[in-house]
Amino acid sequence: MRTYKAIIITLLVTAVIIVSTGCLSISADDLYSLPEVSEEYLRLQAQINMVLSSGAAYAPPTRGLNRQAIQLCDIDGDGINEVIAFFTFPSERKLKIYVFTLVDEDYIAAEIIESVGTEIESVRYIDMNNDGSMEIIIGWQMGSTLKYMSIYSIVDFHSQLIVSGEEYSEITAYSFGGGGTDVVLIKLPTQEAGNATAKLYSLMQDGEIVAQEARLSAGIESINRILTGNLADNVPAVFIESEGRFDNGSLVTDILAMQNGSFANITINPVSGISVDTVRHRMNSLDVGGDGVILVPALRRLIAQSETEYFAIDWYAYRSDGSRTIDITTYHNTFDEWYLILPRDWREKVSVRREDSVPGERTIIFSYVEAASDEKYDDFLAIYKLSGENAQERAQQGNRTLLMTEGSAAYAFELLAPPNSFGITFSEEMVRENFRLIHAEWQQR
């Protein structure tokens, strides 16, 4: 077993020859095509073996993108990767991170970062002040629930602890436009009466850390997901989607951005302490248009033809001043895994119903209705999902038009009224351009 581990270590550190810049981890599948091992890497392997023989064991990070016990990263920006190895020393009750660097064709342990804790939760390598050198952001796990973040700046391979022991629930990194990459630490309340907060850490050129804090919505119980992207006015922002107990739903999005030079939650209501406009029961915020702008969904009930409720989704684009506008509106048929972008002139004039009476065919019918109190519904569009034998052929029967196939299923549509009837926009071209399949991340909660 010891020999096998030595071979793996040898192959792993040899990867430094291949990659000259950036930070990466090596998977086991990549190890078998690596080049012949050089003397300096054999000496590095010997050093790592010495650490292991002193009572250490590998302690790879348990979360995040960098989860290998041995990782490669160009810490000092000289174009040559350093080797970063993660260990636990059970007898000392310590965790240690070794940074090996190449000096005169030999690798040496240039720095050792250590802390107490049960495991290393995560590690990130980011350039916080755009000086070409990486800061190391480490999450230390303390027992089953407590986690603490430390940020180290590496100068001439001497670590300087610039942020120490900040308790957190989640960490993310994103550039808010100051040149380097900032760190956002999210902390949930330890008591029911407390408020969740987000803390922004920025590193200045002179090495000073500037910290700013913003409140998250009151009532948050858990962080669901974190997105980074732009607002409608091209301001960078972090979107924190959390679950909790709110009057109008269980999911809320807090949007964090720079506002008048300060880090702020641009969606929070100052009276309620909740981002009330983003509270909902389901649907994730997404970059719907693929342009980097994150849109936040809001469900809107459609005019009903029966007791069954159907909803459209208005996707809001936010600006850095907290204002918002509807960017697009969609109808999602999550059961059949498709959605349709709805023209703006359909608003308050269209109803939906489902018909599944024909085996192997599931149909959504869109109807025009003059007003919510009106009982006259004029059908103008049907969209089908067909399955089973001859699905593609059935998708083209009569006046149906095939949209696409996905596996054994076929999607089709049929205009049930002349194009653009009733003063609303619909045509064969519109349906083709606005029809999409739902990806897994779009699914409702």
Side-chain angles (χ1 to χ4, degrees):
M1 187 66 177
R2 172 76 64 177
T3 302
Y4 174 77
K5 287 183 177 179
I7 293 171
I8 292 297
I9 294 169
T10 300
L11 291 170
L12 177 56
V13 299
T14 304
V16 179
I17 299 174
I18 305 173
V19 184
S20 61
T21 60
C23 304
L24 71 156
S25 301
I26 301 296
S27 69
D29 293 337
D30 297 328
L31 298 177
Y32 299 99
S33 60
L34 299 178
E36 188 175 338
V37 180
S38 63
E39 286 297 323
E40 60 262 31
Y41 301 108
L42 290 174
R43 290 193 288 272
L44 174 58
Q45 174 201 325
Q47 291 200 43
I48 292 175
N49 282 341
M50 286 180 60
V51 177
L52 292 170
S53 64
S54 69
Y58 287 121
T62 58
R63 290 187 63 195
L65 296 177
N66 305 310
R67 298 193 189 187
Q68 276 65 30
I70 300 175
Q71 301 175 19
L72 309 177
C73 186
D74 181 8
I75 297 292
D76 59 354
D78 65 353
I80 300 174
N81 280 321
E82 277 65 54
V83 177
I84 301 95
F86 300 82
F87 301 100
T88 179
F89 290 75
S91 62
E92 303 177 29
R93 296 183 179 179
K94 286 186 177 180
L95 299 162
K96 296 184 182 181
I97 301 171
Y98 281 66
V99 179
F100 297 96
T101 190
L102 189 63
V103 176
D104 296 330
E105 299 184 351
D106 197 3
Y107 275 90
I108 65 169
E111 181 60 303
I112 301 173
I113 299 171
E114 65 178 65
S115 178
V116 295
T118 55
E119 60 188 16
I120 299 168
E121 192 260 356
S122 62
V123 63
R124 292 169 174 83
Y125 311 97
I126 62 174
D127 186 354
M128 291 185 66
N129 60 353
N130 205 28
D131 65 352
S133 297
M134 295 290 183
E135 277 65 50
I136 302 179
I137 294 85
I138 303 170
W140 306 102
Q141 186 82 42
M142 307 290 181
S144 60
T145 57
L146 288 179
K147 297 181 289 186
Y148 293 92
M149 181 191 76
S150 297
I151 301 179
Y152 296 85
S153 185
I154 309 297
V155 179
D156 295 329
F157 292 104
H158 294 290
S159 61
Q160 297 179 0
L161 184 59
I162 57 177
V163 175
S164 175
E166 289 286 339
E167 186 179 348
Y168 71 94
S169 301
E170 298 288 343
I171 301 171
T172 193
Y174 195 55
S175 176
F176 283 85
T181 301
D182 304 300
V183 176
V184 178
L185 177 149
I186 301 162
K187 182 181 178 182
L188 292 176
T190 55
Q191 300 177 355
E192 291 185 4
N195 285 323
T197 58
K199 204 167 186 179
L200 175 70
Y201 295 91
S202 304
L203 182 61
M204 303 294 101
Q205 289 294 331
D206 61 3
E208 179 188 2
I209 277 282
V210 175
Q212 301 182 66
E213 188 171 274
R215 281 193 309 157
L216 301 183
S217 290
I220 288 175
E221 297 173 346
S222 62
I223 306 299
N224 191 37
R225 65 202 295 261
I226 301 172
L227 298 87
T228 56
N230 289 335
L231 300 172
D233 48 357
N234 293 319
V235 172
V238 170
F239 298 72
I240 301 175
E241 309 220 275
S242 309
E243 294 186 0
R245 300 176 185 178
F246 312 104
D247 289 341
N248 298 316
S250 59
L251 185 67
V252 65
T253 301
D254 291 297
I255 304 178
L256 307 173
M258 299 304 293
Q259 189 179 72
N260 300 321
S262 298
F263 183 58
N265 184 343
I266 66 168
T267 50
I268 197 165
N269 184 297
V271 177
S272 67
I274 299 171
S275 295
V276 291
D277 287 340
T278 70
V279 173
R280 58 201 184 276
H281 283 291
R282 48 191 174 181
M283 294 300 299
N284 293 325
S285 298
L286 291 168
D287 177 6
V288 180
D291 56 0
V293 176
I294 305 296
L295 303 180
V296 181
L299 295 177
R300 175 170 50 83
R301 186 179 286 104
L302 294 171
I303 300 172
Q305 298 186 35
S306 64
E307 293 183 357
T308 303
E309 294 184 329
Y310 295 91
F311 296 86
I313 302 171
D314 293 324
W315 294 89
Y316 284 89
Y318 281 80
R319 300 178 67 84
S320 56
D321 62 1
S323 63
R324 65 175 188 166
T325 55
I326 297 175
D327 189 80
I328 65 170
T329 297
T330 60
Y331 170 77
H332 275 58
N333 179 356
T334 56
F335 187 65
D336 296 329
E337 301 175 314
W338 60 262
Y339 71 98
L340 186 71
I341 300 173
L342 305 184
R344 292 185 182 274
D345 58 15
W346 286 24
R347 193 175 183 88
E348 308 299 339
K349 297 180 180 179
V350 170
S351 178
V352 171
R353 74 176 187 275
R354 171 181 287 278
E355 290 189 358
D356 296 338
S357 58
V358 179
E361 295 185 9
R362 296 201 292 266
T363 309
I364 290 293
I365 296 177
F366 294 87
S367 307
Y368 171 81
V369 57
E370 185 65 34
S373 59
D374 202 341
E375 296 183 358
K376 184 175 184 298
Y377 298 92
D378 293 301
D379 301 339
F380 65 90
L381 173 64
I383 296 181
Y384 306 90
K385 181 178 182 180
L386 303 103
S387 58
E389 294 184 1
N390 304 317
Q392 186 168 337
E393 289 78 3
R394 287 185 285 119
Q396 300 175 83
Q397 290 178 349
N399 294 321
R400 295 175 182 175
T401 299
L402 178 67
L403 281 164
M404 62 179 67
T405 58
E406 178 78 6
S408 61
Y411 297 85
F413 74 94
E414 180 180 358
L415 296 187
L416 305 177
N420 303 324
S421 298
F422 319 113
I424 60 173
T425 303
F426 67 95
S427 64
E428 290 189 359
E429 182 180 10
M430 183 278 292
V431 177
R432 289 192 188 95
E433 289 180 353
N434 291 10
F435 180 85
R436 307 280 195 279
L437 294 183
I438 295 176
H439 303 293
E441 62 179 359
W442 287 71
Q443 295 290 356
Q444 296 179 340
R445 300 188 170 281

